[in-house]
Amino acid sequence: QRRDEQLRSLHAEHQAQQSKVDAWRDRCEAAEACALARGSLHRAELARHRATLDEQNLALGSATGALEAERNERRRAELTLGAEVDALRRGLAAEHDAARAAV
């Protein structure tokens, strides 16, 4: 009878320990699921930020290209204007030389 009581006591203790182990395992699994969910959320957030940065980068590239084209157009206009001014100066100098020669 004493042996039976000891066995029942050990069995009860074993069940109590098993319940603690099961509870701990459940908590660990819940924590792991939570960490995975947080990781997924974090990855989604990073992907969203990356997409935003990509959009901004494309917009910046387009704006830079437009500014570059405008700068090149302005430079061509300056060169054309400079050539016209040089041609006018040469024309005036030639007229001035012709007027001096006629005198």
Side-chain angles (χ1 to χ4, degrees), residues 77-98:
E78 288 171 358
L79 290 172
T80 300
L81 185 59
E84 289 174 1
V85 167
D86 288 344
L88 286 174
R89 282 187 182 142
R90 285 192 300 276
L92 284 175
E95 286 179 22
H96 182 69
D97 290 344

Side-chain angles (χ1 to χ4, degrees), residues 13-26:
E13 190 178 320
H14 174 70
Q15 283 182 327
Q17 291 298 325
Q18 188 62 46
S19 293
K20 288 180 185 178
V21 168
D22 290 344
W24 182 254
R25 186 180 55 243
D26 290 346

Side-chain angles (χ1 to χ4, degrees), residues 9-98:
S9 176
L10 283 173
H11 182 67
E13 190 178 320
H14 174 70
Q15 283 182 327
Q17 291 298 325
Q18 188 62 46
S19 293
K20 288 180 185 178
V21 168
D22 290 344
W24 182 254
R25 186 180 55 243
D26 290 346
R27 274 189 259 144
C28 287
E29 288 173 357
E32 186 178 74
C34 186
L36 288 172
R38 262 189 261 121
S40 294
L41 182 63
H42 185 62
R43 282 190 297 280
E45 195 174 311
L46 285 175
R48 194 171 60 249
H49 286 307
R50 193 175 300 119
T52 300
L53 287 174
D54 288 345
E55 287 175 19
Q56 290 174 346
N57 194 31
L58 285 173
L60 183 59
S62 295
T64 300
L67 287 172
E68 187 71 23
E70 184 180 323
R71 188 175 64 104
N72 290 339
E73 184 60 35
R74 191 174 300 133
R75 181 72 180 131
R76 279 192 289 278
E78 288 171 358
L79 290 172
T80 300
L81 185 59
E84 289 174 1
V85 167
D86 288 344
L88 286 174
R89 282 187 182 142
R90 285 192 300 276
L92 284 175
E95 286 179 22
H96 182 69
D97 290 344

